[in-house]
Amino acid sequence: MNFAKYHVSYADYIVSDDIGVERSARAVCDRHSGVGACGLVLVRENPFRARFFRPDGREVPLDISAALCAGAYLGERSGSPKICMLTSAGVCETEIAPSGEMSAAIPYKKTGEMKVRHADIGSGIEYIKSFFCGTTRAVCRVNDIYNAILFGVGEKMSGYGAFGSGADVDFVRTLSRDKIEVRSYERGVGYITSGSGAFAAAKVLAELGECGENVEIAVDCGKMRVSTGSDARLYAGVSKVMRGEI
């Protein structure tokens, strides 16, 4: 298997165009015996297509951070700064700006009223249920993200009965109207800085009137920002870590 590995704000993804790689997603993403990553993207050309796999081997319709990595990989191969790739959640367009910053257009559809609900998991947490690009997500507004992580709220919320087969959980703290902090618990991955989570959280807060349509995401490494208006996009820095064969 030939692959390239990329970073997006400390989240790392493996991109490959080898046939049959999806059967090895768990082994390849393993951080002890494999390459190690938050996910695997399998890409095809003519036309551009992408499939997204979590480290536990489960396929998801779309992962925005991973889509940026796929766009960087396909853009390098094709020589085009703009890539339109077909995913299970619809067409996702990525683009590399002259500055090197990448963006991904979000095939987002609103799924009903944003309603604040209470989760009976012993922590008194409230959440807003959202269906984002084929995946159920729970956006939780908190005062201290890392306190929620410390007490395993992500794991408890992910398996909460209201989500059926489970949900990805996005913890968000509002720093100002134009800046938010987001950390996500994604099934099969754990706690990461997720592009999908950042966009879902920003979209929910914008629709609740708690932030603007253009917000900066506070991240530990690099830059990330979200536009939730008519041109819904996530912007982030993407860096290639390595190429290899396994």
Side-chain angles (χ1 to χ4, degrees), residues 50-210:
R51 296 173 64 192
F52 305 90
F53 298 88
R54 296 274 173 88
D56 60 358
R58 183 169 54 90
E59 184 172 3
V60 294
L62 176 62
D63 183 307
I64 298 301
S65 292
L68 288 174
C69 298
Y73 180 90
L74 293 170
E76 182 179 342
R77 287 176 63 95
S78 66
S80 173
K82 183 180 290 188
I83 299 293
C84 291
M85 68 186 81
L86 181 63
T87 76
S88 296
V91 175
C92 181
E93 177 195 278
T94 64
E95 186 171 5
I96 306 174
S99 64
E101 181 183 57
M102 288 197 65
S103 67
I106 313 296
Y108 176 85
K109 294 181 181 179
K110 186 176 179 180
T111 55
E113 180 185 3
M114 294 292 170
K115 183 178 180 181
V116 180
R117 297 176 170 88
H118 175 78
D120 186 17
I121 59 172
S123 61
I125 198 163
E126 293 181 333
Y127 69 95
I128 301 95
K129 185 177 179 180
S130 176
F131 193 68
F132 175 76
C133 293
T135 302
T136 300
R137 305 195 75 95
V139 176
C140 305
R141 297 172 298 178
V142 295
N143 294 322
D144 188 331
I145 288 177
Y146 294 96
N147 192 53
I149 293 174
L150 177 65
F151 288 97
V153 179
E155 293 89 335
K156 294 176 184 177
M157 281 295 299
S158 180
Y160 188 52
F163 304 130
S165 59
D168 293 333
V169 185
D170 306 310
F171 297 103
V172 56
R173 183 169 71 101
T174 303
L175 303 177
S176 71
R177 187 166 177 80
D178 301 317
K179 188 173 184 178
I180 61 176
E181 182 181 17
V182 185
R183 193 77 169 173
S184 301
Y185 175 82
E186 294 193 334
R187 291 169 294 160
V189 184
Y191 292 97
I192 64 168
T193 299
S194 163
S196 296
F199 182 87
K203 185 67 175 178
V204 165
L205 292 187
E207 293 189 5
L208 291 175
E210 297 181 11

Side-chain angles (χ1 to χ4, degrees), residues 2-25:
N2 294 300
F3 69 91
K5 184 175 178 179
Y6 295 84
H7 270 189
V8 183
S9 299
Y10 273 153
D12 51 354
Y13 298 90
I14 297 165
V15 184
S16 177
D17 58 5
D18 274 7
I19 297 174
V21 170
E22 65 268 25
R23 296 192 297 270
S24 305

